[in-house]
Amino acid sequence: MAFSISRRVLRAFAPSDVSSLPFSLYNAFRGYDCGDSSSIMRSSVVGKTLLDVCRRYSTTILTPNSSEGAFPLHLLSSKSKSLAIPDREIGLFQDLVIPVTNFLNEDKGFMTLGGDVFDVPIRKDIIHRVVRWQLAKRRQGTHSTKTISEVSGTGRKPWPQKGTGRARHGTLRGAQFRGGATMHGPKPRSHAIKLNKKVRRLGLKIALSARAAEGKLMVFEDLEVPSHKTKNIVHFVSQMENAKKILVVDGGPINEKLKLATQNLHYVNVLPSIGLNVYSILLHDTLVMSRDAVNRIVERMRTPINR
């Protein structure tokens, strides 16, 4: 057992007539006989003093079955007496319990979110790949330019090959002339890139886990609104904290009243669960899902991938 005690601490508790503290402490713990009774007594006193110091300043681990008392409050500063509970560690695949409400802020109980979908490790590289795949796939690819065979114009030689002092040309439809062709220009094509289904599914799980970890995921019993008036949604959004853009996800087809109530609000968008994607989640800072939408998303994420 090794001890590291400063001389200042030992000097505060040891008698003043004890000399050569390090050597005496070593002899006290090793049981070394210094030759005379004064040395032995001096080493025993220092050894007892060191044990008292170690008992007073050692770290004690308190367990429910330990007989030690609680940590003395007088050793805690005034700022550290209120001990804070550490935040939950993200990405441990633990099930989450979240309260369920509705547009009227009524208590509808609780719901358990599967840890394999809503508590996966956050990986920015997967999110980047999925977003890049989505943006590339949504491009129309209808851009087109004309080649030299598609440009209108004559095909004759503009002037003789020699004798004019001008450069040699065989046609006026070349890229060097105004109104001519475009060399190596874009043609209609698909910009879609390949991305494995496992990676796409993992990206959606990561996006959902990020919103759940930030506390920006809300679960509603249903998405029924009293009427199709926009003021109902505006009143609900005004009561939310730090919500700039909201994405509302329903399980099946969107309710007609909800569709009419949100169509004039640029900061509220509605999607069915089948259309939920990573890019839409990242564009909105708050995610509102119905209980049916959560169940369908979890079922879809747990369905085996067909090869």
Side-chain angles (χ1 to χ4, degrees):
M1 184 177 184
F3 293 89
S4 177
I5 305 296
S6 63
R7 294 189 178 185
R8 181 177 298 177
V9 175
L10 292 177
R11 198 177 296 116
F13 289 89
S16 60
D17 59 341
V18 178
S19 60
S20 63
L21 282 176
F23 184 72
S24 302
L25 292 177
Y26 178 78
N27 293 333
F29 275 91
R30 295 284 295 178
Y32 182 79
D33 190 1
C34 297
D36 55 348
S37 59
S38 62
S39 300
I40 298 176
M41 184 181 301
R42 198 179 301 123
S43 61
S44 61
V45 169
V46 175
K48 183 177 182 302
T49 303
L50 181 61
L51 291 177
D52 294 339
V53 173
C54 293
R55 290 194 188 100
R56 184 169 179 178
Y57 286 93
S58 62
T59 302
T60 304
I61 300 176
L62 300 178
T63 60
N65 299 325
S66 63
S67 59
E68 299 289 340
F71 196 83
L73 294 178
H74 67 276
L75 294 181
L76 293 175
S77 62
S78 58
K79 296 182 179 179
S80 61
K81 288 185 179 179
S82 58
L83 301 178
I85 301 177
D87 296 335
R88 180 183 65 86
E89 188 174 352
I90 305 173
L92 298 180
F93 301 96
Q94 297 178 350
D95 294 343
L96 309 178
V97 179
I98 186 171
V100 181
T101 180
N102 58 10
F103 283 111
L104 300 178
N105 291 327
E106 297 176 350
D107 186 11
K108 296 296 183 179
F110 296 88
M111 184 177 186
T112 302
L113 304 180
D116 56 338
V117 178
F118 292 90
D119 190 29
V120 301
I122 306 298
R123 291 187 54 183
K124 296 182 180 180
D125 57 325
I126 298 295
I127 293 293
H128 176 266
R129 292 177 61 185
V130 176
V131 170
R132 184 171 172 266
W133 168 76
Q134 277 191 242
L135 296 182
K137 189 177 179 63
R138 65 188 286 184
R139 294 182 64 177
Q140 292 183 354
T142 56
H143 38 47
S144 179
T145 56
K146 291 184 177 181
T147 62
I148 196 171
S149 62
E150 298 171 339
V151 176
S152 62
T154 180
R156 73 177 181 86
K157 191 175 179 63
W159 48 80
Q161 180 82 355
K162 295 178 178 295
T164 62
R166 304 182 68 178
R168 299 169 293 183
H169 291 291
T171 178
L172 292 178
R173 295 184 296 173
Q176 68 272 27
F177 293 106
R178 181 174 180 178
T182 300
M183 305 306 296
H184 307 291
K187 282 293 185 180
R189 67 182 181 91
S190 173
H191 292 269
I193 58 178
K194 183 182 177 181
L195 190 64
N196 294 338
K197 293 181 180 180
K198 288 185 177 180
V199 180
R200 288 183 251 164
R201 178 174 292 186
L202 180 59
L204 185 56
K205 291 181 181 180
I206 294 174
L208 294 173
S209 301
R211 287 293 176 259
E214 295 169 352
K216 295 293 186 178
L217 174 62
M218 303 178 63
V219 177
F220 282 12
E221 181 68 24
D222 51 48
L223 298 181
E224 295 293 335
V225 291
S227 66
H228 65 281
K229 296 293 185 180
T230 306
K231 63 180 181 181
N232 297 325
I233 305 298
V234 173
H235 177 69
F236 170 74
V237 174
S238 63
Q239 295 179 349
M240 300 178 63
E241 297 181 358
N242 300 327
K244 297 181 180 180
K245 294 193 68 176
I246 302 175
L247 179 63
V248 182
V249 182
D250 201 356
I254 305 300
N255 186 9
E256 190 66 25
K257 291 183 180 180
L258 180 61
K259 187 184 302 183
L260 294 175
T262 58
Q263 66 179 359
N264 292 333
L265 301 177
H266 67 278
Y267 51 86
V268 179
N269 293 316
V270 184
L271 276 179
S273 61
I274 193 65
L276 185 62
N277 57 86
V278 175
Y279 190 65
S280 297
I281 295 177
L282 296 182
L283 284 182
H284 302 78
D285 55 12
T286 304
L287 182 61
V288 178
M289 302 179 66
S290 64
R291 190 189 290 267
D292 185 28
V294 173
N295 293 332
R296 294 197 182 194
I297 290 295
V298 172
E299 182 182 1
R300 193 174 84 187
M301 293 295 102
R302 293 176 178 175
T303 303
I305 298 176
N306 295 328
R307 294 291 182 181

